[in-house]
Amino acid sequence: MSHVITQNCCKDASCVPACPVDCIRPAHPRDRTAPTDMLFIDPDTCIDCGACMEECPVDAIYYDEDLPAELEIFRDINARYFARHPLEPSVPQRPDDHDGVDRGALRVAIVGAGPAACYAAAALMRTDGVEIDVYDRLPTPFGLIRAGVAPDHQHTKSVVDIFARMLGDKRVACHFNVEVGRDVTHDDLASHHHAVIYAVGAARSRRLEIAGEDLPGSHPAADFVGWYNGHPEHSGHTFDLSCERAVIVGNGNVALDAARVLLLPTEDLATTDIAQHALDALARSSIREVVLLGRRGPRHGAYSVGEFAALEHLPGIDIVVEADETGSSPDDDIATALKLELAHRCARRAPTPGNKRIVFRYNVSPTEIVGSGHATGVVIGAADGTSETLTTRLILRSIGYRGTPIPALPFDEDSGVIPNDGGRVLDDAGAPVAGVYVTGWIKRGPRGVIGSNRACAEETVERLWQDFDRGLLSRPLPDRGAIGQLLSTRGAERVGWEQWRTIDAEERRRGSAAKRPRVKFVDVAEMLAEARK
């Protein structure tokens, strides 16, 4: 019996160093030789010790014989990865840790409290003496894990347990509900810290740039995701769920998340941390079909293998693939070959009468959203020049995200990121900006899964240590408490770690009463009122 890595894999590689026989691949998060959205265990080498299970932060690893029925496909997926990529000695997972520094020698501000920020803090905290201040514009930490991961992926959200231990460390000071540009400036941060790392993500949705895109009923998928996850800036949105069909432009994992949430039985969603207003609205929904539009064929589907495979086990939902070109070739990488096999199987399966449907349409692009005063349909064009109109009152665009410029920092409008060299911010002339760094999506663009941020953050921290060792970050600073005094004079209501724990405890208490993981606050004023108790 061996172990199997399954759908929830966050790819942060915590399990890799725990394996005594080095049989987990890709072993280094920066390995590009076999790009995948998850890790794999070689069944022929695994010695069944269970060490990887103990280290996995999202409970994605199972004993072979204990796999639930809906995850049995991953036994084959793990084995086939190593059939294509035989096990070889791995490269080192990370460079040696930096020697400890004197207290006060390195104080770092990290802007953002999502996965990229937390992995950056974790990399810095491996060195004794480093002081870290974490800033986030919301009163709540964890970024897209709280406000982006779909509610039916509760195991994925459990990675916050690791981040919570780190943010609660005495070397870390949390300044939540503090926004750069509103409460504090970049110059303020630079004058109170030796280095500033921006881990602010990519909040803007890319546009389709077609007629009718701004009609009511046409929304960025990010608005819908924020709405059902209870993000304070999105909780007030409304979505027309009165029609039987919704159309999602795009077929990445966010699109699949939205499709599932629209169609899952509300009794299943009611056991999650979905926002109550979303649960109430979805209980009244008439939607029975979600159509996902992809401009290329199934070979180029943007979804991960794990997320696509999991769709087959959704209760009462048929997966319909409208495509002919589902055959794989010997040159396909393992992820592409598996996606095509899954698509081929779905394309051949007969629908079940009475079931809801997720329909994958490939090689089509939206050309116009039609309607008078409200969207009533989307016109799609095919590669052969034909077009048709899909009737719907709910259209979500899920074609990617873009970063937002930060005052006083350079920004590349074409790519939507802050220009950088391995995380070291570059000015308009291509020269490094002293003491300023980026990690996560604002550094590399909106690519990868949660664990992809670990390697990204470690690369950035490597650059920071290089600059530290060259003496580029050494300068006298005000006392550490001076930034808190500055925030107070500006009227900022800072939420520290203990105040967040008060909010967290009340959400969990309300969740327990409703037999749910938590019932979220969705209003900042209510969060702050709870934090003051």
Side-chain angles (χ1 to χ4, degrees):
M1 186 170 70
S2 65
H3 286 74
V4 178
I5 298 179
T6 64
Q7 175 192 354
N8 289 326
C9 178
C10 71
K11 203 183 176 183
D12 84 341
S14 297
C15 56
V16 173
C19 179
V21 292
D22 189 28
C23 72
I24 303 175
R25 294 291 184 276
H28 194 285
R30 298 180 202 167
D31 183 3
R32 305 299 185 201
T33 59
T36 67
D37 291 313
M38 60 180 290
L39 304 180
F40 308 91
I41 294 174
D42 182 5
D44 294 332
T45 306
C46 176
I47 60 173
D48 191 27
C49 69
C52 56
M53 290 182 68
E54 295 178 7
E55 291 296 326
C56 179
V58 293
D59 298 326
I61 304 177
Y62 289 76
Y63 288 111
D64 179 308
E65 295 181 358
D66 292 341
L67 280 168
E70 67 272 16
L71 297 179
E72 286 184 353
I73 188 173
F74 288 94
R75 181 187 295 110
D76 180 54
I77 288 174
N78 279 245
R80 291 180 59 180
Y81 176 85
F82 288 96
R84 183 72 64 91
H85 306 285
L87 191 66
E88 296 179 355
S90 66
V91 297
Q93 186 186 1
R94 69 186 190 205
D96 293 336
D97 294 340
H98 195 279
D99 292 337
V101 299
D102 293 335
R103 183 175 179 182
L106 182 62
R107 185 187 308 157
V108 181
I110 301 178
V111 182
C118 290
Y119 281 122
L124 286 165
M125 289 175 66
R126 294 202 300 263
T127 297
D128 290 338
V130 178
E131 298 173 339
I132 301 169
D133 291 347
V134 177
Y135 298 81
D136 198 280
R137 62 193 179 90
L138 293 177
T140 57
F142 309 132
L144 284 180
I145 301 177
R146 176 180 171 94
V149 173
D152 61 330
H153 282 9
Q154 290 297 306
H155 281 300
T156 302
K157 296 190 179 194
S158 62
V159 71
V160 302
D161 294 339
I162 292 176
F163 296 155
R165 291 195 295 272
M166 182 269 300
L167 290 178
D169 189 279
K170 63 182 180 181
R171 292 173 291 169
V172 178
C174 295
H175 306 271
F176 304 146
N177 197 45
V178 174
E179 183 173 354
V180 177
R182 182 192 67 189
D183 305 304
V184 69
T185 67
H186 168 73
D187 289 342
D188 292 330
L189 294 179
S191 65
H192 287 77
H193 303 84
H194 297 103
V196 183
I197 300 176
Y198 284 93
V200 294
R204 290 187 296 172
S205 292
R206 294 186 180 274
R207 292 179 57 83
L208 296 169
E209 304 297 346
I210 61 175
E213 182 172 6
D214 295 319
L215 279 170
S218 171
H219 311 268
D223 287 0
F224 184 66
V225 172
W227 173 75
Y228 65 62
N229 271 318
H231 191 293
E233 295 172 355
H234 298 285
S235 59
H237 295 321
T238 58
F239 298 90
D240 191 336
L241 307 177
S242 63
C243 52
E244 290 197 354
R245 174 191 290 145
V247 175
I248 302 176
V249 182
N251 58 18
N253 285 346
V254 172
L256 268 59
D257 287 347
R260 291 197 318 277
V261 169
L262 283 167
L263 295 181
L264 279 172
T266 51
E267 55 267 29
D268 289 355
L269 290 173
T271 64
T272 74
D273 65 349
I274 190 171
Q276 187 62 48
H277 60 256
L279 184 63
D280 294 341
L282 290 165
R284 301 187 297 269
S285 172
S286 299
I287 293 175
R288 297 192 57 79
E289 176 182 270
V290 179
V291 180
L292 285 79
L293 306 179
R295 63 184 177 88
R296 296 189 291 177
R299 176 181 302 280
H300 302 287
Y303 40 73
S304 67
V305 172
E307 293 299 316
F308 191 34
L311 295 179
E312 289 189 286
H313 299 277
L314 296 178
I317 300 173
D318 285 335
I319 308 304
V320 179
V321 171
E322 297 185 1
D324 297 323
E325 66 279 21
T326 56
S328 61
S329 73
D331 295 331
D332 288 331
D333 59 59
I334 185 66
T336 300
L338 287 165
K339 288 178 186 178
L340 289 169
E341 289 181 21
L342 290 165
H344 181 73
R345 187 161 70 227
C346 291
R348 294 169 58 87
R349 185 176 295 126
T352 302
N355 270 7
K356 298 177 181 179
R357 307 184 345 143
I358 297 176
V359 181
F360 288 83
R361 297 283 301 271
Y362 298 97
N363 298 309
V364 294
S365 297
T367 58
E368 182 183 4
I369 294 173
V370 297
S372 177
H374 193 286
T376 57
V378 55
V379 181
I380 59 173
D384 61 5
T386 60
S387 65
E388 63 177 298
T389 300
L390 296 177
T391 302
T392 181
R393 292 180 63 84
L394 178 60
I395 302 157
L396 303 176
R397 69 173 187 268
S398 183
I399 56 173
Y401 298 89
R402 289 175 50 81
T404 302
I406 296 171
L409 292 186
F411 188 75
D412 186 337
E413 282 290 352
D414 291 335
S415 60
V417 302
I418 292 176
N420 68 93
D421 174 21
R424 186 185 284 121
V425 171
L426 305 176
D427 64 19
D428 293 337
V433 179
V436 186
Y437 308 87
V438 286
T439 188
W441 282 4
I442 196 64
K443 168 188 173 182
R444 69 182 190 274
R447 301 185 302 275
V449 294
I450 290 172
S452 304
N453 291 294
R454 179 177 179 179
C456 182
E458 290 186 346
E459 179 185 53
T460 294
V461 171
E462 284 179 31
R463 296 296 193 274
L464 187 153
W465 280 123
Q466 290 169 6
D467 293 346
F468 177 87
D469 291 338
R470 295 188 191 114
L472 301 179
L473 305 182
S474 299
R475 65 181 187 279
L477 296 179
D479 292 339
R480 192 175 186 189
I483 191 68
Q485 297 170 7
L486 176 65
L487 292 170
S488 295
T489 62
R490 293 183 179 168
E493 186 168 357
R494 169 187 172 273
V495 173
W497 182 251
E498 291 304 317
Q499 287 73 41
W500 152 246
R501 289 186 63 189
T502 299
I503 297 171
D504 179 50
E506 177 59 17
E507 288 186 342
R508 292 177 184 271
R509 186 197 66 77
R510 299 194 306 180
S512 178
K515 297 183 178 179
R516 301 175 60 189
R518 68 174 65 235
V519 174
K520 294 177 180 175
F521 288 102
V522 299
D523 180 78
V524 168
E526 292 182 357
M527 294 179 192
L528 296 179
E530 186 64 32
R532 297 185 197 111
K533 293 181 178 179

